[in-house]
Amino acid sequence: MAEGSIATTAPSGAPSGSPSADRDVFFGFTRPQAAAFLALVVVVVASPFVVYPFFLMKLLCFALFACAFNLLIGYVGLLSFGHAAYFGMGAYVSGYASKAWGVTPEVAILMGGAVGAALGLPFGWLAIRRTGIYFAMITLALAQMVYFFCVQAPFTGGEDGIQAIPRGHLFGIVDLNSDFAMYWVVAAVFLGGFLLIHRIVHSPFGQVLKAIRDNEPRATSLGYRTDDYKLMAFVLSAGIAGLAGGAKALAMRIATLTDVLWTMSGEVVLMSLVGGLGTVFGPVVGAAVIVTMQTYLAEFGAWVLVIQGVIFIAAVLAFRRGIVGEIGNLLKVKL
């Protein structure tokens, strides 16, 4: 069997060559996905004229974070309980670089992504040597090491975090102190990261990742060095998570221990499950549900966690594929 024969299904989920299989129309999108993406772009562009931009920036940052996590679990089958390490360190480094070194916002955000990828390389190299629950526990342990480092490191500000982070001027020209102006930067980062993940998933590299998820021994028998592919996917996921953290730090003007706490890793798992694992748009919808709930139900205090728990149980019992997964199943399309 030729190496290229590993991908046996079309992007729509229908068998290759099937009359019902959707053909790519652009950039790896099928027709239903293209329509959904155009709807997403319309929502992103129109939302700041209707909803408070500060809330929207938070939502988009966490949506990108969830998409990065979904790249690893949804398309490689690796459950990480430590993704907060890359998100949080991206936030800390971007915030510190902007405040202490005075770098421009685009450089600060890219530094967050670079730090996330750099941290993901050794962590991924250690973690991928195990599978299943052992992989998950290793990622959690490594993330806790990062958390305790952030507690002690002078540049993180300890329990106070890094506050009053300046947004600066984009390319040294555009003033981002206005929430409305900063929103467009965050929106661009989100859409760029979303398209990058989509391109990764629908590339030949992404097809190998799906093969590893579905049947790693078979992928190995076809000649693929599966550990190398898993490590590359881990680094990409960590880098994009760091990018989301960097954007969050500048948008929210703060980076704290909450960003690297284990509960943040739990939240991104919840976002992906509620939206739909292994779907392109699921993490975005899941992040929108969780962030909206946390923001607008904050007056209920600790009851928000109870409500989150109820939603999680409902998603697991009634919506096994997640919100987007169930919608795609009803419409017979792959979203």
Side-chain angles (χ1 to χ4, degrees):
M1 184 180 293
E3 205 175 59
S5 64
I6 198 166
T8 58
T9 59
S12 63
S16 297
S18 168
S20 62
D22 291 304
R23 295 182 180 277
D24 294 349
V25 290
F26 74 95
F27 206 69
F29 284 103
T30 61
R31 288 185 178 87
Q33 290 174 344
F37 178 71
L38 291 176
L40 175 63
V41 172
V42 170
V43 170
V44 169
V45 172
S47 292
F49 298 99
V50 181
V51 184
Y52 191 38
F54 192 85
F55 162 73
L56 292 173
M57 287 189 289
K58 179 181 178 181
L59 191 156
L60 291 180
C61 290
F62 279 100
L64 182 58
F65 182 29
C67 288
F69 174 79
N70 185 58
L71 173 63
L72 194 61
I73 186 175
Y75 296 98
V76 194
L78 298 175
L79 173 59
S80 169
F81 281 152
H83 252 52
Y86 320 115
F87 179 81
M89 283 304 296
Y92 272 123
V93 170
S94 294
Y96 184 81
S98 180
K99 187 172 184 177
W101 299 338
V103 301
T104 54
E106 70 278 3
V107 175
I109 293 173
L110 289 175
M111 286 178 67
V115 168
L119 196 60
L121 182 60
F123 283 13
W125 182 79
L126 288 170
I128 63 171
R129 297 174 180 275
R130 294 293 181 265
T131 58
I133 190 63
Y134 302 104
F135 173 88
M137 290 298 101
I138 290 173
T139 58
L140 176 60
L142 293 171
Q144 285 301 99
M145 290 173 55
V146 173
Y147 170 78
F148 288 117
F149 167 79
C150 292
V151 171
Q152 300 294 332
F155 81 95
T156 63
E159 294 184 357
D160 295 328
I162 304 176
Q163 303 181 28
I165 297 173
R167 292 174 178 171
H169 291 70
L170 186 66
F171 303 116
I173 301 173
V174 182
D175 187 1
L176 298 182
N177 286 313
S178 164
D179 286 345
F180 193 76
M182 186 67 202
Y183 171 81
W184 299 113
V185 176
V186 174
V189 172
F190 165 73
L191 290 175
F194 181 89
L195 288 174
L196 174 61
I197 292 172
H198 186 274
R199 183 66 269 174
I200 291 170
V201 169
H202 292 86
S203 67
F205 171 75
Q207 297 301 316
V208 177
L209 296 182
K210 295 174 189 175
I212 293 172
R213 175 196 64 190
D214 295 337
N215 194 331
E216 185 172 351
R218 184 187 177 201
T220 302
S221 70
L222 291 173
Y224 291 101
R225 299 175 62 178
T226 55
D227 281 354
D228 291 347
Y229 279 90
K230 289 192 289 186
L231 179 57
M232 291 166 62
F234 196 103
V235 172
L236 286 168
S237 178
I240 297 171
L243 194 72
K248 176 263 175 191
L250 266 64
M252 306 292 104
R253 297 178 181 266
I254 190 171
T256 68
L257 290 174
T258 304
D259 298 330
V260 290
L261 193 59
W262 63 270
T263 53
M264 183 63 72
S265 297
E267 283 188 16
V268 77
V269 173
L270 182 60
M271 291 174 188
S272 300
L273 284 173
V274 170
L277 291 176
T279 61
V280 179
F281 298 91
V284 179
V285 174
V289 171
I290 300 302
V291 173
T292 301
M293 189 167 53
Q294 290 176 342
T295 302
Y296 290 98
L297 298 181
E299 61 186 42
F300 293 100
W303 282 99
V304 174
L305 296 177
V306 177
I307 297 172
Q308 283 183 353
V310 172
I311 291 178
F312 175 74
I313 294 172
V316 171
L317 295 179
F319 303 98
R320 299 294 296 274
R321 302 178 182 87
I323 297 173
V324 172
E326 291 293 344
I327 293 174
N329 185 57
L330 289 174
L331 299 178
K332 306 300 181 184
V333 296
K334 184 72 173 178
L335 295 173

